[in-house]
Amino acid sequence: MSEVPAVSIQHLTRIFRLPTLRRQTVTAVQDVSFDIAAGQIYGLIGPNGSGKSTTMKVLLGLLRATEGKCSIFGRDSARVDSREDVGFLPENPYFYRHLTGRETLVFYGKLCGITGSALKDRIGELLALVDLEHAADRRLAGYSKGMLQRIGLAQAIIHRPRLVVLDEPTAGVDPGGSRKIRDLILALREQGITVILSSHLLEQVQEVCDRVGIIYKGKLVKEGALSELMSVEDQTEILLRNATPEVLKAVRALISSHPVTDLLTMGHPRTTLERLFLEVTDGSAVETREYVK
Amino acid sequence: MATDSLLSSTTVPVAVPQGAPAPTRHRIFSPGRVITIAGGTFTQLVRMKVFYFMAIFAVAVIASSFAFADLETEGQLKLLKDVSLAAMSLFSMLFAIAGTALLLPRDIEDRTIYTILCKPVPRLEYLLGKMLGVVWLILISLLLMDTLFCVVLHLKTQSIISTQMEVLSAMKFPSPDARDASISQVQETILKQGMTWNLQFGVLAVFLKAVVLTGTTLLLSTFASSTIFTIMSSLAVMIIGQAQSLARDVFLGQDASTVPRIIAGAVSLVFPDFKGFDIVDAVVSGTVVEGLIMLKMTGLTLVYMVIHLLAAYVMFSDKEI
Ligand SMILES: Nc1ncnc2c1ncn2[C@@H]1O[C@H](COP(=O)(O)OP(=O)(O)O)[C@@H](O)[C@H]1O
Ligand SMILES: [Mg+2]
């Protein structure tokens, strides 16, 4: 592992002041700390309103931290030059609808200082990568959600950043479309690019991430390598198919006859991460604290 | 075990890339980025079909060149110039206010601003780019309007001259010399009322005024809570700007003490004093405007641009988006 982490977030707290007369505040993120080693795919999961987007925006220097620090490859996020190393796809992005896919990439490429034939080649490459060659000269106003996310991903990596930040990359995209996005994320890892993504869809996080952080009500409640989080040493799972009530009854009887073994659960299986998730969030995965303007 | 197979598929050994901070390639200020943002803004406004407004201008200019054919010649040309310059002034100010007021709220609402500011783009460059995009739009649209205006004015002048020639040729003169003298005198008088460089100074003044207003509107939009507020307050600035020197004369009089003068000076920073830009009436009536005045006006415009841009930056750099 390299010494400088791709992302370092230390004791990040972000408090929003609400535009009301009675100086109300919302603590969106509270004392969150984690590092991401270069080359990893990190998943930030949590229900809506738990502070995922806020964490990412502070990391990108779009919002200020109330307390704490973030850095990207050792450079403080508040500095403009730290953004040379990052690509960002915001949540539900809208790009300029009057531009075509190609024009969009030209615009963002130039902002990153790429010009001329280098830009042209890079755009051709990216359009092929995200499978939008056929729609390159259509205006974004006519793109589907999945296509927008893909052009968004292309603009995020146009300057070959070493870190890519994806906020809910598959939200609102149909299953076929989100499989495409997942494959693109895996392709980024092949190239050694670090990825941090947020999601409330656990299965997808489980499929692609090396490490996950579970964030709930602004706090990081669990954090670690997927392998560490998922294995519970003293427990064993038995998965049965076509078990009849008689078989289950016999199994129960066998277990209860054994002195040190306890039966913890019996029922239909869930994905492991989902169970963990429900455990640490008191089962209130659907609770939201949406801020309404 | 289910868990095992899941793990082996996710924790693939990873090629770790260089993790040290790369030496920065970042440039504190890049004209390329500013031009990119300005170009994007210009395209955005053009594709919002603002140029359709130009059709209204064309109709106004052409109609006013045909109207009141029974007015005396000078009156006809004056009317055409009055209408055209007033329309140019109105449209450029509308573009300045409406175009600028829409820009930031739209980017913030659509979250496009995130995708721009998360690139290595300083916020000052973003604001400058937006402002220059609108200025560019105003420039192009004024050039188009001015071209049409010049053509129509030229045709109108020519047609008036030929009518006058007919009148003159029907008249009796004591000598051929006297006839030539009076023909060239009439021609000269009419041409002076036609297209002149002096008149182009008037168009330049219209442009500069719109540029100042663009900066003001941008500044207002960095702290306004809504687009409507920005538009209303920009309109207010425009009106106050027109009336300011009048107010100053009324309230301060000639022998005011220092404090009110300083206050008036501060007010004129926020509310640009457009009186200094009012040469349109003068050029329409044919009064020659000196080059020095134009130079002063350009300088004043630049000063306002810089002040407004910096103030907008101060507001915007702290803004939560
Ligand atoms: N600009 C803001 N002003 C006030 N509150 C905000 C603002 N942005 C986010 N919040 C609040 O912060 C909390 C976290 O929001 P967010 O980071 O968007 O969550 P997530 O991305 O996990 O859904 C929410 O309660 C939200 O209402
Ligand atoms: Mg979010």
Side-chain angles (χ1 to χ4, degrees):
Chain A
M1 286 277 149
S2 52
E3 283 160 25
V4 181
V7 169
S8 168
I9 296 181
Q10 283 157 22
H11 304 289
L12 173 66
T13 297
R14 173 65 220 213
I15 299 169
F16 285 109
R17 208 173 291 139
L18 295 185
T20 52
L21 293 176
R22 285 178 297 124
R23 305 200 150 265
Q24 281 173 304
T25 57
V26 173
T27 306
V29 177
Q30 197 178 346
D31 197 23
V32 164
S33 303
F34 63 90
D35 281 2
I36 305 175
Q40 282 196 327
I41 300 190
Y42 192 97
L44 206 53
I45 56 180
N48 289 331
S50 54
K52 304 181 296 293
S53 301
T54 305
T55 306
M56 290 180 156
K57 284 180 206 163
V58 176
L59 177 64
L60 290 154
L62 295 170
L63 285 178
R64 268 186 209 168
T66 308
E67 258 162 64
K69 273 189 116 171
C70 302
S71 62
I72 294 170
F73 291 106
R75 280 197 279 212
D76 192 320
S77 290
R79 285 172 49 182
V80 174
D81 64 3
S82 74
R83 271 152 249 168
E84 281 177 355
D85 274 328
V86 212
F88 177 45
L89 174 64
E91 185 176 19
N92 296 319
Y94 283 95
F95 298 99
Y96 291 119
R97 297 164 63 84
H98 61 275
L99 294 182
T100 67
R102 196 185 304 278
E103 286 169 340
T104 303
L105 295 183
V106 169
F107 178 73
Y108 288 103
K110 282 188 179 165
L111 285 187
C112 297
I114 316 171
T115 49
S117 62
L119 180 59
K120 210 171 162 234
D121 295 347
R122 180 71 180 143
I123 288 173
E125 204 177 298
L126 285 171
L127 285 171
L129 180 72
V130 299
D131 193 18
L132 282 174
E133 282 161 312
H134 60 284
D137 298 309
R138 288 201 336 240
R139 291 204 185 170
L140 296 197
Y143 274 30
S144 73
K145 188 86 207 323
M147 290 160 81
L148 279 177
Q149 293 288 54
R150 263 145 56 217
I151 203 79
L153 193 64
Q155 70 73 30
I157 59 176
I158 194 158
H159 53 309
R160 301 180 198 278
R162 290 186 290 168
L163 170 70
V164 178
V165 181
L166 309 171
D167 197 356
E168 309 253 1
T170 55
V173 180
D174 60 40
S178 59
R179 210 171 312 118
K180 270 188 188 167
I181 291 169
R182 183 201 61 194
D183 292 344
L184 285 170
I185 295 171
L186 291 173
L188 292 179
R189 175 165 60 188
E190 295 280 292
Q191 297 170 26
I193 295 172
T194 314
V195 178
I196 169 168
L197 62 90
S198 76
S199 183
H200 58 268
L201 295 176
L202 309 162
E203 279 169 47
Q204 283 172 359
V205 170
Q206 191 172 316
E207 270 177 355
V208 296
C209 293
D210 305 309
R211 275 176 88 83
V212 292
I214 300 178
I215 188 167
Y216 180 59
K217 295 192 177 174
K219 292 190 188 132
L220 196 66
V221 286
K222 203 118 193 167
E223 206 273 321
L226 202 56
S227 52
E228 288 166 24
L229 291 183
M230 310 266 276
S231 66
V232 185
E233 294 298 327
D234 62 348
Q235 296 182 9
T236 310
E237 223 169 16
I238 307 171
L239 215 53
L240 308 171
R241 176 177 284 154
N242 298 334
T244 61
E246 292 78 50
V247 173
L248 292 180
K249 208 170 158 193
V251 170
R252 267 182 218 276
L254 180 65
I255 293 169
S256 60
S257 72
H258 210 279
V260 291
T261 314
D262 293 322
L263 177 66
L264 295 179
T265 57
M266 188 179 262
H268 298 290
R270 273 186 186 144
T271 51
T272 343
L273 190 56
E274 184 174 1
R275 191 167 68 202
L276 176 73
F277 179 75
L278 292 178
E279 216 174 275
V280 296
T281 60
D282 318 318
S284 51
V286 286
E287 184 184 327
T288 53
R289 291 187 301 155
E290 245 18 295
Y291 162 71
V292 185
K293 253 193 187 165
Chain B
M1 288 277 304
T3 353
D4 279 346
S5 65
L6 187 138
L7 289 181
S8 60
S9 72
T10 49
T11 46
V12 174
V14 167
V16 178
Q18 66 300 353
T24 178
R25 292 153 283 152
H26 184 70
R27 289 170 52 194
I28 308 265
F29 180 82
S30 146
R33 289 192 296 249
V34 174
I35 291 170
T36 304
I37 294 172
T41 306
F42 177 76
T43 322
Q44 181 182 6
L45 291 170
V46 169
R47 294 198 183 162
M48 277 160 69
K49 314 233 161 40
V50 288
F51 279 126
Y52 282 6
F53 280 103
M54 231 65 91
I56 304 176
F57 174 80
V59 171
V61 170
I62 292 167
S64 68
S65 80
F66 286 115
F68 305 110
D70 51 332
L71 277 179
E72 31 133 10
T73 55
E74 263 186 43
Q76 283 184 37
L77 289 175
K78 186 171 183 318
L79 179 79
L80 175 58
K81 290 186 286 185
D82 267 338
V83 169
S84 302
L85 278 166
M88 281 188 210
S89 182
L90 181 70
F91 279 113
S92 57
M93 290 218 182
L94 280 183
F95 283 164
I97 293 179
T100 317
L102 285 175
L103 293 176
L104 296 192
R106 200 170 252 237
D107 270 14
I108 291 173
E109 208 165 289
D110 293 352
R111 279 175 269 242
T112 25
I113 193 164
Y114 294 147
T115 61
I116 294 174
L117 293 184
C118 73
K119 303 278 187 227
V121 178
R123 290 189 179 199
L124 185 64
E125 283 182 16
Y126 173 77
L127 289 176
L128 180 60
K130 288 280 166 194
M131 185 158 142
L132 292 184
V134 179
V135 168
W136 190 353
L137 178 88
I138 295 171
L139 181 69
I140 298 289
S141 53
L142 267 180
L143 283 179
L144 289 176
M145 289 192 271
D146 193 25
T147 310
L148 180 72
F149 169 52
C150 288
V151 170
V152 173
L153 186 59
H154 177 74
L155 294 177
K156 184 79 186 169
T157 319
Q158 291 306 320
S159 93
I160 288 178
I161 288 178
S162 61
T163 327
Q164 292 293 314
M165 289 303 113
E166 274 169 35
V167 175
L168 283 180
S169 62
M171 277 164 45
K172 285 206 176 77
F173 285 92
S175 71
D177 274 356
R179 162 196 289 257
D180 286 352
S182 89
I183 284 184
S184 63
Q185 195 199 341
V186 165
Q187 243 172 356
E188 201 178 314
T189 324
I190 295 175
L191 282 177
K192 250 192 202 146
Q193 294 301 314
M195 182 43 63
T196 56
W197 283 112
N198 200 40
L199 207 51
Q200 292 302 313
F201 278 164
V203 179
L204 181 60
V206 165
F207 171 67
L208 294 177
K209 205 154 100 173
V211 170
V212 172
L213 203 55
T214 303
T216 318
T217 311
L218 187 74
L219 170 58
L220 287 168
S221 80
T222 53
F223 57 82
S225 50
S226 71
T227 313
I228 290 296
F229 175 81
T230 309
I231 291 181
M232 297 314 281
S233 49
S234 305
L235 285 173
V237 166
M238 187 173 113
I239 293 162
I240 292 172
Q242 302 282 9
Q244 201 185 126
S245 52
L246 190 72
R248 203 164 33 208
D249 289 347
V250 170
F251 291 117
L252 294 182
Q254 287 304 318
D255 42 31
S257 54
T258 357
V259 178
R261 276 196 189 283
I262 290 174
I263 293 174
V267 167
S268 73
L269 283 185
V270 184
F271 301 101
D273 184 354
F274 288 129
K275 193 82 186 118
F277 293 83
D278 269 348
I279 58 162
V280 168
D281 285 343
V283 295
V284 166
S285 65
T287 314
V288 173
V289 177
E290 281 172 50
L292 190 63
I293 292 184
M294 294 318 296
L295 212 60
K296 267 190 190 160
M297 218 184 275
T298 312
L300 191 61
T301 305
L302 287 176
V303 169
Y304 273 126
M305 256 178 105
V306 169
I307 290 175
H308 285 153
L309 183 69
L310 290 182
Y313 173 64
V314 168
M315 297 302 301
F316 189 63
S317 62
D318 265 342
K319 193 175 167 89
E320 301 276 296
I321 47 170

